[in-house]
Every structure is written in C-alpha cells, then in structure tokens.
Amino acid sequence: MADTANLKERIHRGELIFGVGALLYFSRSQLEDLLGQGDYDFVYVDSQHVGLCEIDLENFCGHAASLGIPVQFRIPHTRHTYMTGRYLDLGPTGIMVPEVEDVAVVDEAVKYFYYPQIGRRSSGGVARRNLSAFGEPTDPGSIDRLAYADWWNSNGFLTIQLESVEAVINARKLAKPGIDLLAFGPNDLRFSMESLPHSPFKTVDECIRHVLEQMKDSTVQVSLGATSEEERDKYLEMGVTVLQVAPGM
C-alpha cells in the first residue's frame, strides 16, 4: 500500500494517485482482500446511488483506518452539502460532492468541510479520522482541539464533481481555495451534452482536456474513474493525476 501520510499534499504536487472502489458493508477482511489487489492510495465509497446506513459508514471507516487507507466518500446529493461535517465525523478523510454547478455549493462545501478559521465545521465526534493522535476519543476533554483542527485542515481532501457542460465551462470558477480535486461524472455529463445541440463539447474527453487546460497553473487536480488499463493509460497521457481504478489495476 502506498504512503498516505499526507495525501492532500501529494495531490497538490500532482503525484499519481490511485484509488479503488468498495462497498460500505464490506467487512475488514473483505476490504483487506480488496486492497491486496493493487497499490492504492485511497478507497472510495458511494452513497449517491446506493443505500446509506451511517453505522456502516462508521464501521467501514474504522476498518480502513486500521488498514492505514484513507476513505473518500461521495455524499448522497448536492443538497446534502451542508451535512459534510456530519459525514466526516463518521471517519472519512475525503468528501466528494456530486453534480456541482454553482459557486454557492462550493462555498457551502468548504464551509462545512474545514474547521475554523478556514471553515465552520463543528468540533465533535469520536470516530473522526486520526483523532486518537490528539487525545483519547472517548474523553472529549483530552482532545487537543486546535491541533486536531490544524491537522484536519492540512490533510482532509475535498472533491467536487463536474457533471454538466455548464460545470465544465466554469471549472476554473468552481475550483476555489479549499477544493483539491475536480472529478467527472461522465454519464450525466453525456446527458448534458446531448441536451445541448450547440454544446462546445461533443465528447467527455473534450471536456476533460478543457478542464485540464483551465487547471494547468493550479494545484487543483483532475480525478477520473478508469475501468480498463487502456482507459487508465489514456487519462494518464492526457495529464490526469488521480484515478479510481478497477480492482487489480
């Protein structure tokens, strides 16, 4: 397993980062078997298109923490962005917000992802990632609140998903301070292009290249899913640095 000591910094440096998808109900042994199939930097779990039990998320993040792998969690809906801090209290290291088009959603994500004085995330929760390094999680009075907040603000990674032509066009505006990754939702993006006869983009690859060009002088990186080695290699050649790959890749 790759070194994940500060994944956020590695993302910003443009290092090649690989993740793998899992299901929230995985046991520790199932997750360990999955991670044994490749050299992964994070594990991704979804709640937008599958059922969500918060206890499953907390247990899954506990398994991942014991195996030394960060969890990226896609929240159920764009309108749930205000609950970002709530989900983070259950143990993820990264959050993905789907279907982002408006700067106001980005502002809300940053607000509830980061602790003061960057954001307004509330302090609490015994299942938070790496909390035991700053005190005894079951004894709130022992937690070094400021030290943990500083650690989190330097380590948690925040992703927004571009799934429309409008989002692709405005990617630079959406990549505000506090955003680490711009991910793509290719199928919804195709719906968007198909709904616009005069769309400036005709393929997902054109959209990716446009966003990469907008981000070329930024530490915000582009993230995609790859289901084959050919697709992975194509995206890497284009300049994508963060990929969620199929098990075994």
Side-chain angles (χ1 to χ4, degrees):
M1 200 176 303
D3 176 17
T4 57
N6 195 329
L7 185 56
K8 187 185 188 83
E9 286 186 1
R10 295 179 58 215
I11 290 170
H12 287 184
R13 289 197 297 262
E15 294 184 23
L16 295 184
I17 306 293
F18 295 96
V20 65
L23 298 173
L24 279 175
Y25 57 76
F26 271 15
S27 66
R28 188 186 188 282
S29 61
Q30 287 176 304
L31 179 58
E32 188 172 22
D33 288 344
L34 173 67
L35 297 177
Q37 296 182 46
D39 189 15
Y40 306 118
D41 301 285
F42 68 93
V43 60
Y44 164 84
V45 286
D46 182 39
S47 70
Q48 185 184 14
H49 296 298
V50 298
L52 170 63
C53 170
E54 291 187 353
I55 295 299
D56 284 345
L57 176 59
E58 184 173 331
N59 289 337
F60 182 91
C61 290
H63 300 326
S66 72
L67 295 168
I69 191 83
V71 174
Q72 182 189 50
F73 174 66
R74 181 163 69 174
I75 67 175
H77 194 277
T78 318
R79 292 186 179 179
H80 289 189
T81 304
Y82 73 96
M83 292 183 64
T84 294
R86 163 68 178 168
Y87 295 126
L88 290 173
D89 287 348
L90 302 177
T93 307
I95 288 288
M96 179 185 290
V97 181
E99 300 183 277
V100 175
E101 292 185 338
D102 300 326
V103 169
V105 174
V106 177
D107 290 340
E108 188 173 49
V110 171
K111 177 179 178 179
Y112 293 113
F113 185 87
Y114 293 98
Y115 287 110
Q117 299 302 316
I118 296 175
R120 287 186 56 192
R121 180 182 170 190
S122 176
S123 181
V126 300
R128 288 175 286 170
R129 172 73 166 165
N130 200 38
L131 188 64
S132 60
F134 298 88
E136 173 51 54
T138 58
D139 178 11
S142 74
I143 300 298
D144 188 331
R145 173 180 54 84
L146 293 178
Y148 182 78
D150 286 344
W151 177 86
W152 174 262
N153 288 347
S154 298
N155 284 266
F157 62 102
L158 179 56
T159 306
I160 59 171
Q161 210 165 6
L162 311 179
E163 303 186 66
S164 69
V165 171
E166 181 180 1
V168 169
I169 291 172
N170 293 317
R172 183 72 187 192
K173 294 179 181 178
L174 297 173
K176 299 187 71 173
I179 300 301
D180 302 296
L181 288 171
L182 302 179
F184 280 84
N187 288 325
D188 286 336
L189 182 53
R190 290 185 181 101
F191 278 136
S192 179
M193 287 186 288
E194 290 159 359
S195 74
L196 299 170
H198 303 294
S199 166
F201 313 109
K202 302 304 179 185
T203 68
V204 172
D205 283 0
E206 289 180 11
C207 294
I208 296 168
R209 291 190 177 94
H210 178 78
V211 172
L212 285 167
E213 177 65 22
Q214 291 187 73
M215 294 297 109
K216 67 180 181 180
D217 60 346
S218 169
T219 61
V220 179
Q221 303 296 329
V222 173
S223 175
L224 281 155
T227 58
S228 68
E229 292 184 0
E230 292 76 15
E231 195 171 42
R232 177 200 63 195
D233 293 345
K234 178 184 73 172
Y235 292 147
L236 291 176
E237 185 175 352
M238 289 169 66
V240 175
T241 58
V242 180
L243 287 168
Q244 179 196 326
V245 296
M249 288 176 57

